[in-house]
Amino acid sequence: QVQLVESGGGTVQTGDSLRLSCVASGRYFSSYAMAWFRQAPGKEREFVIVKNWSGEWTYSADSVKGRFTISRDNAKNTVYLDMNNLKPEDTATYYCAAYKKTFALVTVPVSASDFGSWGQGTQVTVSS
């Protein structure tokens, strides 16, 4: 089990940028693929972006491609989501998640059921 805590959410204007952080517990952080999901009110949880355990592979949803970037700092047990050119449709609660297996190959399409640890979420609101 990995404990995850997100932070950095807030209310911004259309076109603004924002960085979300997710701090993980445990010394095995570098062995897990990490991802970000989001969920808008009344909507299902949606995949956003993922980075594999070694850090060389990244995959993102079409809706955020070219705007969102995922990165990780293993020394700080932290994964980041850098969001640029935010749109009102990006408004949601954002969750970070750790893959359920270490040193695993993430499959595409990315499913929430493949992730075993979740943070509590951080709210991002984009106003127009």
Side-chain angles (χ1 to χ4, degrees):
Q1 185 179 51
V2 179
Q3 284 72 51
L4 306 171
V5 180
E6 304 97 333
S7 63
T11 301
V12 298
Q13 298 289 328
T14 298
D16 283 354
S17 298
L18 196 64
R19 164 171 273 199
L20 304 184
S21 299
C22 175
V23 179
S25 65
R27 60 182 182 273
Y28 304 110
F29 171 75
S30 62
S31 301
Y32 290 91
M34 298 293 297
W36 288 91
F37 291 78
R38 66 187 183 186
Q39 187 168 19
K43 305 296 182 181
E44 294 185 351
R45 186 168 45 191
E46 174 189 24
F47 166 73
V48 177
I49 194 168
V50 63
K51 182 176 287 291
N52 78 327
W53 64 269
S54 60
E56 85 280 354
W57 181 83
T58 300
Y59 178 76
S60 63
D62 289 341
S63 60
V64 305
K65 193 167 297 182
R67 299 190 298 120
F68 289 13
T69 301
I70 185 172
S71 61
R72 62 194 303 165
D73 186 339
N74 291 336
K76 296 182 178 180
N77 276 12
T78 302
V79 61
Y80 303 98
L81 178 64
D82 289 298
M83 304 180 290
N84 299 302
N85 191 26
L86 284 162
K87 306 174 181 179
E89 49 264 46
D90 295 319
T91 295
T93 299
Y94 283 73
Y95 301 89
C96 64
Y99 205 70
K100 62 184 179 181
K101 299 179 180 178
T102 58
F103 304 110
L105 178 66
V106 178
T107 59
V108 177
V110 182
S111 173
S113 63
D114 293 329
F115 293 80
S117 300
W118 296 84
Q120 84 290 342
T122 185
Q123 178 67 37
V124 174
T125 302
V126 185
S127 62
S128 58

